[in-house]
């Protein structure tokens, strides 16, 4: 073989098996595996799978079924693409926060600290839990989310890692499937707003004083969350009245096979529960009756934002 030729370009001397033969070998190994498992010592099985109960039958482990539900929910089609990507990063623990950036070598130890001046400790590492839950800036928005959901359903969610980041819902939190979708869309809108505000704060110039930084960014995440939720309500209302495929500004044949329309009943179940976030009224005009959307959500209604 010439010296200029890489090793991976050299032909292998061994004969490669046909794919059908490899498939038969895999099937034979799977058939032999159940007969060997009962004779295997419990200690060896526990060593191989130390996070799964060895006495439980396959597929019955509650943790595995719970995480499977979370991953299926993370790929739901009703999520915004940016929200879906952020939740995927949260579940993988690879959100570009200060601590993770320092871990992969993209930031120094000083840059890994929380960029907000209102944190109790000036050298507080910006971890995922700190950025989304523990930071005073994030705690304000998370508290607004929980109080908003209490005004809608009468249930106050727990502002914990399991509820906010891992999407664990308790009994009585969501009375129907539509409310479950509403909760997760509100939750991801708030998390994305917190992450966006944190990125803006981290990219701000260090020459700015702490007082001006605190005054300009104190309510940035809260205002972004309110704007995002309001935009989602208006976008879904457009789906009820118009064909968004004709409003996209592209050839309609590019979007063939997709039906982004939404029924009026689905919109009511999603956003008009107890008329807390929005309500639909009938307006009498000269050409006939027309449905109008009234967004009741604001920085003071139904709960105070700041």
């Amino acid at each position: 073989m010439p010296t200029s030729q890489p090793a991976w370009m050299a032909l292998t001397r061994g004969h490669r098996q046909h794919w059908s033969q490899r498939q038969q070998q895999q099937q034979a190994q799977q058939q032999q595996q159940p007969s060997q498992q009962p004779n295997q010592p419990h200690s060896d099985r526990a060593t191989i799978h130390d996070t799964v109960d060895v006495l439980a039958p396959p597929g019955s482990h509650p943790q595995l079924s719970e995480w499977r539900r979370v991953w299926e929910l993370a790929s739901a089609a009703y999520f915004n693409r940016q929200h879906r990507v952020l939740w995927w990063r949260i579940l993988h623990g690879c959100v570009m926060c200060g601590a993770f950036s320092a871990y992969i070598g993209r930031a120094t130890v000083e840059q890994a600290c929380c960029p907000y001046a209102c944190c109790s400790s000036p050298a507080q590492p910006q971890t995922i839990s700190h950025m989304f839950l523990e930071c005073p800036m994030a705690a304000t928005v998370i508290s607004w989310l929980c109080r908003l959901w209490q005004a809608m359903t009468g249930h106050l969610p727990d502002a914990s890692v399991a509820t906010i980041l891992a999407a664990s819902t308790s009994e009585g939190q969501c009375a129907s499937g539509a409310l479950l979708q509403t909760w997760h869309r509100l939750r991801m809108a708030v998390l994305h707003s917190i992450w966006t505000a944190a990125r803006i704060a981290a990219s701000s110039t260090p020459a700015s004083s702490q007082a001006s930084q605190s005054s300009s960014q104190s309510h940035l995440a809260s205002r972004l969350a309110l704007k995002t939720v309001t935009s989602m309500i208006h976008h879904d209302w457009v789906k009820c009245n118009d064909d968004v495929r004709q409003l996209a500004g592209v050839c309609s044949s590019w979007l063939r096979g997709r039906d982004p329309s939404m029924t009026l009943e689905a919109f009511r179940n999603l956003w008009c529960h107890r008329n807390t976030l929005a309500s639909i009224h009938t307006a009498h005009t000269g050409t006939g009756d027309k449905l109008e959307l009234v967004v009741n959500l604001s920085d003071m209604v139904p709960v105070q934002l700041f």
Side-chain angles (χ1 to χ4, degrees), residues 1-294:
M1 183 179 65
T3 56
S4 60
Q5 185 177 354
W8 59 268
M9 295 182 62
L11 297 176
T12 57
R13 296 182 179 180
H15 178 68
R16 189 176 181 181
Q17 296 180 351
H18 192 262
W19 66 270
S20 59
Q21 298 179 358
R22 295 197 302 268
Q23 186 178 8
Q24 293 177 1
Q25 291 181 359
Q26 292 178 359
Q27 293 178 357
Q29 292 177 0
Q30 293 178 359
Q31 293 177 358
Q32 295 176 2
Q33 186 176 2
S35 60
Q36 295 178 359
Q37 283 185 354
N39 299 328
Q40 186 178 7
H42 288 246
S43 59
D44 296 343
R45 295 171 60 190
T47 303
I48 298 174
H49 304 284
D50 56 349
T51 61
V52 180
D53 186 7
V54 294
L55 300 179
S60 62
H61 199 272
Q63 294 182 359
L64 297 180
S65 59
E66 178 68 19
W67 282 110
R68 180 179 180 181
R69 182 193 63 83
V70 172
W71 283 110
E72 291 177 352
L73 183 62
S75 60
Y78 55 77
F79 277 126
N80 189 321
R81 179 179 177 84
Q82 296 179 347
H83 299 173
R84 191 186 303 115
V85 171
L86 176 61
W87 194 12
W88 186 90
R89 291 180 177 271
I90 291 175
L91 293 177
H92 278 279
C94 58
V95 180
M96 292 300 296
C97 56
F100 183 76
S101 299
Y103 175 75
I104 62 178
R106 294 188 179 181
T108 61
V109 178
E110 293 76 11
Q111 295 173 347
C113 298
C114 182
Y116 293 109
C118 63
C119 281
S120 57
S121 177
Q124 172 64 43
Q126 191 189 38
T127 60
I128 296 179
S129 58
H130 175 81
M131 180 171 60
F132 289 112
L133 297 175
E134 300 171 1
C135 182
M137 296 298 177
T140 302
V141 195
I142 296 299
S143 176
W144 172 75
L145 171 65
C146 296
R147 290 182 287 111
L148 177 64
W149 190 254
Q150 185 182 20
M152 290 179 57
T153 62
H155 178 82
L156 181 63
D158 183 19
S160 61
V161 175
T163 303
I164 303 300
L165 300 183
S168 177
T169 55
S170 59
E171 296 182 359
Q173 181 174 348
C174 301
S176 61
L179 283 180
L180 182 64
Q181 178 179 345
T182 306
W183 161 251
H184 289 305
R185 293 185 67 179
L186 291 175
R187 181 181 60 84
M188 288 309 306
V190 169
L191 291 179
H192 189 270
S193 301
I194 295 174
W195 182 78
T196 304
R199 298 292 292 175
I200 295 175
S203 61
S204 60
T205 57
S208 60
S209 61
Q210 293 184 356
S212 60
Q213 179 184 2
S214 177
S215 60
S216 61
Q217 299 177 351
S218 58
H219 304 308
L220 178 59
S222 302
R223 296 188 183 279
L224 286 176
L226 180 62
K227 181 180 179 180
T228 303
V229 174
T230 306
S231 300
M232 290 192 304
I233 297 175
H234 283 290
H235 290 169
D236 287 348
W237 178 249
V238 173
K239 296 179 182 178
C240 295
N241 298 274
D242 300 318
D243 190 353
V244 297
R245 292 172 293 185
Q246 299 179 0
L247 304 176
V250 297
C251 182
S252 59
S253 61
W254 293 0
L255 305 175
R256 61 182 181 272
R258 302 180 183 180
D259 186 12
S261 62
M262 177 179 293
T263 62
L264 185 61
E265 181 181 1
F267 182 86
R268 292 181 185 271
N269 297 332
L270 188 61
W271 299 113
C272 299
H273 184 71
R274 296 183 179 179
N275 294 333
T276 304
L277 301 179
S279 57
I280 300 176
H281 301 280
T282 303
H284 302 283
T285 60
T287 58
D289 296 341
K290 182 180 179 181
L291 297 178
E292 292 184 353
L293 173 67
V294 178

